Amino acid sequence: MENYQNFFACSSSAPPPASMGFTSNMESSNVFGNVHGHSIPNGFLGLKSTEIHVPTGQEVENISRSSGGFGRSENEVKSCKKKYEKKIRKPRYAFQTRSQVDILDDGYRWRKYGQKAVKNNKFPRSYYRCTHQGCNVKKQVQRLSKDESIVVTTYEGVHTHPIEKPTDNFEHILNQMQIYAP
DNA sequence: CGCGTTTGACCCGCGC
DNA sequence: GCGCGGGTCAAACGCG
């Protein structure tokens, strides 16, 4: 009851290397495949793979420019290397939930660092980052234009620290969100 | 006063 | 080669 990460992990098995156990469970198209198996009216099927693609965990990003922040800082402090880590992305896991609010409190502290309008969606996509030091986990929340009751949360990275909020909040979460799996 | 949100600008990758 | 779309930063602002 200390970390309701199990909530994501579904208590399937020991979380491999990450504290986020759901990595093992949610990987592959489990998230989508399982959900859209049948019953999704027009929600996810309407989504294009370009908007949210769920790599099977092979895409691992190294955050090449995250450290340098942005090349625009002046002239890229180190414009020499960063070729070995070009387009490897961290595994991303998308969650489709039904909620009235976009911000699903999963126990971590997130800081919003951007918001962009998506082409095929009327609703903007919000970008959040874990404020914990050294934890560069990112997540983006997006609401489907077709079903505004559906919120897609995409996690990128794994938390390397315990949750900072009390667990009884877990109930609150379940209260405010429902896994879309009828 | 500290922290988080907002918002515009910038950069990069990819498709045409 | 250019344009578009997506992703991120950073300064300013607001709130507790």
Side-chain angles (χ1 to χ4, degrees):
Chain A
M1 245 212 298
E2 355 189 45
N3 308 332
Y4 43 80
Q5 305 169 329
N6 289 324
F7 159 60
F8 292 112
C10 289
S11 66
S12 58
S13 58
S19 30
M20 278 279 207
F22 68 85
T23 49
S24 58
N25 198 19
M26 290 296 197
E27 74 173 30
S28 69
S29 55
N30 188 2
V31 187
F32 297 133
N34 193 5
V35 179
H36 77 38
H38 48 87
S39 296
I40 299 291
N42 50 3
F44 230 43
L45 297 178
L47 262 173
K48 305 165 77 154
S49 56
T50 49
E51 294 183 8
I52 300 176
H53 73 281
V54 182
T56 54
Q58 45 197 14
E59 292 187 49
V60 184
E61 186 191 22
N62 245 326
I63 305 192
S64 50
R65 59 203 195 185
S66 86
S67 54
F70 224 62
R72 112 245 238 125
S73 222
E74 201 164 88
N75 56 1
E76 186 64 17
V77 186
K78 60 272 291 314
S79 54
C80 287
K81 57 272 315 288
K82 78 191 184 175
K83 48 174 27 174
Y84 47 86
E85 45 175 9
K86 32 184 59 179
K87 39 179 30 188
I88 348 177
R89 290 213 169 158
K90 281 203 216 136
R92 303 209 292 195
Y93 310 97
F95 295 54
Q96 188 181 176
T97 59
R98 211 147 59 112
S99 173
Q100 305 267 331
V101 296
D102 294 342
I103 315 295
L104 265 44
D105 197 343
D106 50 4
Y108 292 98
R109 191 177 296 276
W110 301 94
R111 185 184 77 253
K112 190 175 190 175
Y113 68 89
Q115 177 174 318
K116 278 291 283 232
V118 190
K119 199 54 179 170
N120 291 298
N121 274 343
K122 331 189 306 193
F123 305 100
R125 178 184 302 173
S126 300
Y127 299 90
Y128 297 90
R129 179 172 293 180
C130 187
T131 59
H132 192 90
Q133 184 181 11
C135 182
N136 41 16
V137 177
K138 289 176 286 191
K139 84 170 177 183
Q140 47 187 246
V141 180
Q142 175 182 3
R143 193 179 286 274
L144 296 189
S145 58
K146 305 194 76 139
D147 291 317
E148 76 173 77
S149 60
I150 296 182
V151 176
V152 178
T153 305
T154 305
Y155 284 86
E156 185 173 333
V158 176
H159 294 279
T160 56
H161 59 93
I163 295 180
E164 332 175 345
K165 287 198 170 181
T167 45
D168 45 297
N169 197 22
F170 172 56
E171 290 188 49
H172 182 64
I173 297 173
L174 288 180
N175 220 354
Q176 70 181 355
M177 73 184 266
Q178 316 167 22
I179 299 296
Y180 200 77

